[in-house]
Amino acid sequence: MATEHLSPLDLAFWRIESAAHPMHLGALAVFRAGGPGAGPAAGPGTASGATSGAASGTASGTAERAAALLAARCASVPGLRRRIRDVLLPVGAAAWSPDPGFDPARHVFLVRTDEADPQAAAGPLMARPLDRELPPWEAHVLAGPDPESFAVLFKFHHALADGLGALALAAALFDEGPALRTSARPVPEQRAGSVLRRLPGTLAARVQDVGQALEIGAAVARSGLPLGVPAALTADPAGKGTRAVAGLALDLDEVNLVRKAAGGTVNDVLICVVAGALRRWLEERGDPAPTGPGPRALIPVSRRGRAGSGGGNRLSGYLLRLPLAERDPLLRLDRIRAAMDRNKDAGPARGAGAVALLADHVHPLGHRLGGPLVAQAARLLFDILVTSVPLPGLTFTLGGSRVREVYPLAPLARGQSLAVAVSTYKGTVHYGLVADAGAVPDLDALAGALRAELDALVREVS
């Protein structure tokens, strides 16, 4: 079997990780039991807990049954049984390999908590790095005081999958339903003759790639001035890496009301809500009024096809100034819409936001030696991550319990205090906020500001 090396971007995510700045993304799914006897009997797998003993398939509780189901099913998902190992050649590279001792009990955990809000329990779990000797993922089943409700915090290393890829892996663990494609497309074998015939085109493509890299580098240099960045969006790069998690659910109908009246896309409105909420939050904290062009938001863009097949990362991005100094909500939306339109006209392969594409031009040894430097440089490129993870129009269930809320959670770059992720599920917009707990002790206030900002936009167009 041929060795499957990590792609350059996947390798970059693997190398830049540190104990205080783990590079996993996540999703907090909140479930409600479907009623007595709704779930099928659990399989033979087991799940051990961070605060409890092992949960077996004979457990009667809703959360215990969910943990046992996840443990039983994960063994049959090939993408969840692979770990990352360094290889001799190319120097500095890493590759996927099967975990011969794969044990579901080292990945699926039952966590008993007195917290009624699972987001409070998710923060410390998001702060803990994944075990780099194991397949890089975990699922924590959070059993709270309500016996009919539970939550599952999924954690996937960014080297394993981007948001869409992580969704496909998690979906494979739910009850049977329309499957999401998760297998990578095979790379066709090339004969020597065909390679020679394609050589002129290959050289031309290489020249084009170098030109693209120079263009992206120039765009990064032009956008690198941190003008108008509030102090609240920065954190001590040498901090302890503590994390806080908060989430908010908003009505998609209200978002569409604003979109139809003011123009733009749903994503434009969702980004505008973030910008307005940041302004409100800073005002409530008593921070100085925002000035200048505003903080730079990195907006990741998927480069996958509609089918979304394949693991790993297929990402580019847009870079966008959030106009926090603008007081009028609709004018903020106009400016965001215009900036996003310019980004889309240029395409996801150009501009400073496409810096992820530069990973393809770095030798694996460069990723190994330069990983720590790249991690520290993230704050020089952007100030806040605002990412959207589209969910299919399916109803996800686990053991008969329905997912009623799902909050995506993004990794937090070194030196930054906040990352925002958003997804839409069953007519509801879910914002997931991950913050440096030391730099942002009032994350719930920011979640409340998101609600207040959407209310203000609705009033403006009503």
Side-chain angles (χ1 to χ4, degrees), residues 49-87:
T51 58
S52 72
S56 70
T58 60
S60 58
T62 306
E64 289 87 345
R65 183 169 63 247
L69 280 170
L70 291 173
R73 292 171 179 173
C74 67
S76 64
V77 181
L80 299 179
R81 296 176 58 95
R82 303 192 306 169
R83 57 184 180 175
I84 297 174
R85 286 288 178 266
D86 290 340
V87 296

Side-chain angles (χ1 to χ4, degrees), residues 16-368:
I16 67 176
E17 181 174 63
S18 67
H21 295 88
M23 283 304 299
H24 54 256
L25 46 85
L28 182 65
V30 181
F31 292 80
R32 182 70 181 177
T46 61
S48 61
T51 58
S52 72
S56 70
T58 60
S60 58
T62 306
E64 289 87 345
R65 183 169 63 247
L69 280 170
L70 291 173
R73 292 171 179 173
C74 67
S76 64
V77 181
L80 299 179
R81 296 176 58 95
R82 303 192 306 169
R83 57 184 180 175
I84 297 174
R85 286 288 178 266
D86 290 340
V87 296
L88 293 176
L89 295 174
V91 177
W96 293 103
S97 66
D99 182 2
F102 180 77
D103 182 0
R106 304 180 74 177
H107 296 273
V108 180
F109 304 93
L110 177 63
V111 182
R112 301 188 186 278
T113 173
D114 295 329
E115 298 283 355
D117 184 359
Q119 296 164 5
L125 294 173
M126 282 297 290
R128 287 172 23 187
L130 296 166
D131 189 332
R132 292 172 68 90
E133 297 300 313
L134 300 175
W137 70 276
E138 291 175 351
H140 298 263
V141 181
L142 309 178
D146 181 357
E148 295 301 317
S149 295
F150 65 94
V152 180
L153 174 65
F154 293 99
K155 295 168 56 178
F156 298 97
H157 199 285
H158 222 323
L160 173 62
D162 54 23
L164 288 175
L167 169 64
L169 289 170
L173 301 175
F174 293 149
D175 296 341
E176 289 186 10
L180 296 177
R181 297 174 62 185
T182 59
S183 60
R185 296 186 181 124
V187 178
E189 182 180 357
Q190 293 183 336
R191 297 182 180 274
S194 65
V195 172
L196 289 176
R197 285 194 298 270
R198 296 177 184 177
L199 188 56
T202 301
L203 292 175
R206 178 63 65 183
V207 171
Q208 184 178 11
D209 286 346
V210 172
Q212 180 193 43
L214 293 174
E215 181 184 7
I216 293 173
V220 169
R222 290 193 299 269
S223 65
L225 297 177
L227 303 175
V229 182
L233 292 184
T234 63
D236 183 358
K240 298 180 180 179
T242 54
R243 294 290 181 266
V245 169
L248 183 74
L250 299 175
D251 191 337
L252 180 60
D253 286 343
E254 293 184 336
V255 174
N256 276 318
L257 177 66
V258 175
R259 176 189 62 81
K260 292 176 182 177
T265 67
V266 166
N267 201 43
D268 293 340
V269 178
L270 296 178
I271 296 171
C272 182
V273 169
V274 172
L278 287 173
R279 179 184 171 86
R280 288 175 179 273
W281 176 60
L282 293 171
E283 289 178 345
E284 291 170 359
R285 288 163 56 104
D287 288 5
T291 59
R296 299 157 298 177
L298 179 63
I299 316 292
V301 178
S302 175
R303 297 168 60 218
R304 295 175 182 269
R306 287 188 176 273
S309 64
N313 290 268
R314 301 181 184 182
L315 292 173
S316 181
Y318 298 139
L319 205 62
L320 172 73
R321 290 278 185 178
L322 298 180
L324 303 194
E326 176 55 63
R327 300 183 61 87
D328 187 290
L330 291 183
L331 289 180
R332 269 199 303 272
L333 178 55
D334 284 342
R335 292 179 59 180
I336 288 171
R337 181 182 60 196
M340 287 298 290
D341 286 346
R342 289 193 295 270
N343 277 323
K344 293 170 188 174
D345 288 342
R350 301 178 63 186
V355 67
L357 302 184
L358 296 183
D360 292 336
H361 303 276
V362 178
H363 188 276
L365 183 59
H367 286 296
R368 171 177 280 184

